[in-house]
Amino acid sequence: MHGCAAGCIVLSFTVVSGTARAEQALPQVTIDAPAEAKPKPPRRHTPATAAREGRAVPATSPSVSPSSSSAQGTSAATDAMGAPQNQAASSRIITGAEINALPFMRPGEALEAAPGLVVTQHSGEGKANQYFLRGFNLDHGTDLAITVDGMPVNMPTHGHGQGYADINFLIPELIGSMTVRKGPYFADVGDFGSAGALGIEYLRAMPKNLAEVTVGSFGYRRLLGAGSTRVGDGTWLAAFEANTYNGPWDVPDDVRKLNGVLRYSQGTATDGFSLTGMAYSNRWTSTDQVAQRAIDQGLIGRYGSLDPTDGGISSRYSLSGRFAQSSDIGQTDINAYVIRSSLQLYNNFTYFLDDPVNGDQFNQYDRRTVLGLNGTQRFDYRFAGLPVETRIGLQSRADNIDLGLNKTLRRDWLSTVRADDVSEQSLGLWTDTTVRWSDWLRTTAGVRQDYFTGRVISDNPANSGNASASMTSPKLGIVLGPWVSTEFYGNAGTGLHSNDIRGATITVDPNSGDPVNRVPLLVRSKGAELGIRNKSIPGLTTSLAVFVLDFDSELLFVGDAGTTEPSRPSRRVGVEWTSQYRPLSWLGVDLDVAYTRARFTDFDPAGDFIPGAPAWVASAGITLGEQRGWFGALKGRYFGPRPLIEDDSVHSLSSLIFNARAGYRFDNGVRVQLDVLNLFNAKTNQIEYYYLSRLPGEPLGGTNDRHVHPVEPLAVRLTLAGSF
């Protein structure tokens, strides 16, 4: 809780959805206290809050060892979204130093710092990653809400899949903190957040300027420059990244990525403002998942392609702003943003099944402008002698989208399946109140009201129309303790995910012309969680959470369509255990294990297993080193087998992959670092699906088969960096 007297209201304008606040003393005023200002209690700056304000804890490994920076990040009073941080046993704040201390192959894998999250890739380094969490195959982000500096990454009614979340524009070295929350228990988390929500915040200033060059296997080249400087009362931060990569594929990825960030800020995250511009551009050729029988028959090698012209072009440009100012009554945060993004994607998942002559390659395109405005007013006061915190918030966005689907041959247009102009708006109104009833009892009760509306103008008038829906979602949480450095948590709530609005207006299948049923625009989720967190052993934080999550309709990936579609109702019951141990300043150990039982809940002769839903996920990491001298890291991630069809008769492979790092930091700020990815050269797959496809010469009806995208073989990357 944060101390302040009554009598003033604070306004903030932010690019982040919710502001991280420094910890203050509990308020000592009544709700009807006089309006005169009272002195503010001093703030207790923790490493997590310092990282978010860009003051003390660097996000990059050259300057500090994560094991010496309170890496568990649980001492901050609030999370990166402005809520009391310890609201659930599965909630956690992770600093940028932690994230960058471990080696990873691609930017999206930086998010695997979130316990239980698996991030893979099945189609080139410019396409959005594949996410798995709490027994979900989330495809490209259907129920994992991701924000970067308050801007949503997930895109509704997207050309390639609902909730498409392309995080390839992320520059990991700029991360100040990442807030992890799971389940539909948080009033300030709306669409796409039922399984989990990740709030990433960039630094306002670099601890030190950074110049870095990396070279590695398979044509990997990366150049990064990032720095900040004081100008008058403010700070300019700039970062630029250029990256090329071919990969081990027989048809090189030929990735060409440019990425940049420019930010001006004054003050801190709680008292100041910032304006941020981001620009990202990428183009690539991709080796999509391929039929396992093509490899087994020797038609292609393990890293071969069945359509060498697959790939894509993407871009993202954004401008965002924030103004924040704390006061004696609480704090108001408002963030605004505009995003312009585009994607041209070429895929061929079924080869010659639909068109035996030209093949089945198709083009999905999505060009959109997103406008958003969010606001949060926090009130800190005493009521009947009890410390109370009430937050009231508004989240709004408007997407203007030009999207469609074309049939292509070697990226040349053949015909249009459908083309649409979509205007979609959403508004979320929410509030929650946290009451500290005693030293050992705290409750949070909230409610959220979401409104969605939009219009589809399709090339087929039968599929045009308007759609709208609303949904109310109550939330409740309780925290008991601490007793002997142990807290107990209970959470329950309802949430939602939206469906592609084109599915809510469709009447005719654009391929066959057959009548089709419309789907609801909003789908209900319901969840609950019981958990415990213990810190009784010095340096060790361990937590255990048991959860259940129900969906009225599951979103599943459809291989031959290359998109997600609504499916059957489902239930997931699971348990997660996470531990972070920092026994010494130069040593950190992390261990996360999660098990989920995922099933459809209606009866169907096909079976009740959910395709792609993982049961077991685990990871373990160790980091070594101080701010100077030798340092190193080792991380292992286990990704268990998944059922690929409803009767569980076909499974994916499991995978166990290790990444390692060793390096040396010199006194003059120079760092030399060697990363070894897939250390033991595991021969397994990033992703597997089971569906119908046809290779040349096969029967016209096609063949059901596994379709796989292999894990890249052992690779090394050497980095030379300088901090100044």
Side-chain angles (χ1 to χ4, degrees), residues 43 53 273 347 562 589 616 622 646:
R43 295 175 181 164
E53 296 183 8
F273 74 89
N347 291 310
V589 180
W616 287 98
I622 181 170
E646 285 86 343

Side-chain angles (χ1 to χ4, degrees), residues 12 62 85 114 131 164 227 238 251 254 259 261 270 399 416 428 492 505 519 643 659 701 706:
S12 72
Q85 192 248 324
Y131 305 96
Y164 188 84
V251 178
D254 195 22
N259 201 7
V261 176
T270 54
D399 292 63
T416 296
T505 64
V519 300
N659 296 333
R706 284 186 176 87

